[in-house]
Amino acid sequence: MAVLDAAGRCFLERGYAATTMKDVAAAAGVSVPTVFAQGGKAALLLACVDRALVGDDEDAPLLARELFVQLAEAPDKAGKLAALQAIAIDRGPATTPMLRAFEAAAAADPELAAAWTEYEGRRYADMRAIAGMLAPWLRPGLDADAAADIAWATFGLETAERLLRDRGWSAPRYAEWFADAVDRLLLR
C-alpha cells in the first residue's frame, strides 16, 4: 500500500512530529484527502508499526504467523532455538527502526503513549507465550513467568538496536546471538 510505505519512510527519515500528512501524500504520489482516508497521523504510524512487526498487512495475530507456528510446533529444544533464530533474522532488523520511531512519538503524544503501553503489554504477553512453548526445557527453578520477565527485559528494542544499528551486526549474527542467549539464560 503506497500510503503506508510513504508514511513509514517519512516517519523514519523525518520523525513523527516533523512529518505532515502533506509530506506523506507527496511521498506516496497521492492527494492529502487520500492519505486522510487511511486515518489520522497516529493511525498511520500504528499501521506502519504493525506492518513492521509482522511483515505484511494481513490481520492475523503475531503468534499465528508462520514462523511462530513453526516455533510452537517444533518438537525439541534444537527446533525451538532454530525457530527463534529464524524469527530474529526475519523480524529483528525490520522492526527496530519503526519501533524506535514509535517510542519517540509516544514520548510526545498522549494517544501514542497509551498505544506504546499497550504494545509493551502485548510484547510481554507474546514473550509469556513463547516461554510457555519452551517450558519443558526451562532451567530448574525457572517458571514460564520468570522466563518471560527475563526475555521481555533482555530482548527489547534497546538490545536489538544497539547490536544491529550501533554495533553494525548483521541480521544472521544477531539471530545467532539471540538464540544462544535464550539458550544460556533460560534453558537447561
Side-chain angles (χ1 to χ4, degrees):
M1 164 168 268
V3 171
L4 283 183
D5 290 341
R9 284 192 310 273
C10 289
F11 294 143
L12 293 175
E13 292 169 6
R14 300 176 184 159
Y16 178 79
T19 296
T20 67
M21 297 299 260
K22 186 175 179 181
D23 294 333
V24 173
V30 299
S31 68
V32 174
T34 299
V35 174
F36 274 105
Q38 304 294 312
K41 190 162 84 165
L44 284 177
L45 176 64
L46 295 175
C48 289
V49 168
D50 284 344
R51 178 192 266 185
L53 288 171
V54 298
D56 58 43
D57 295 321
E58 292 179 29
D59 189 24
L62 185 66
L63 294 175
R65 302 298 178 139
E66 180 182 341
L67 290 173
F68 288 91
V69 170
Q70 290 173 9
L71 172 64
E73 294 176 352
D76 56 20
K77 177 182 162 180
K80 301 282 188 197
L81 291 172
L84 285 171
Q85 189 169 349
I87 291 166
I89 285 175
D90 184 63
R91 300 302 349 130
T95 60
T96 55
M98 189 56 67
L99 286 175
R100 180 57 72 203
F102 180 21
E103 183 183 45
D109 182 311
E111 178 184 357
L112 291 173
W116 178 260
T117 299
E118 180 183 326
Y119 158 75
E120 280 295 312
R122 282 192 330 246
R123 187 171 76 82
Y124 180 82
D126 291 341
M127 290 293 186
R128 176 60 181 82
I130 291 168
M133 294 175 202
L134 299 172
W137 301 280
L138 290 177
R139 285 189 346 233
L142 190 65
D143 63 15
D145 289 330
D149 290 348
I150 293 166
W152 181 82
T154 305
F155 305 118
L157 171 62
E158 294 80 13
T159 302
E161 187 176 53
R162 285 180 178 141
L163 294 174
L164 289 163
R165 186 196 68 193
D166 297 345
R167 301 305 309 150
W169 282 22
S170 67
R173 182 177 179 192
Y174 171 75
E176 184 178 329
W177 168 84
F178 176 75
D180 183 59
V182 167
D183 191 19
R184 290 172 186 259
L185 287 171
L186 304 179
L187 308 180
R188 55 184 154 86

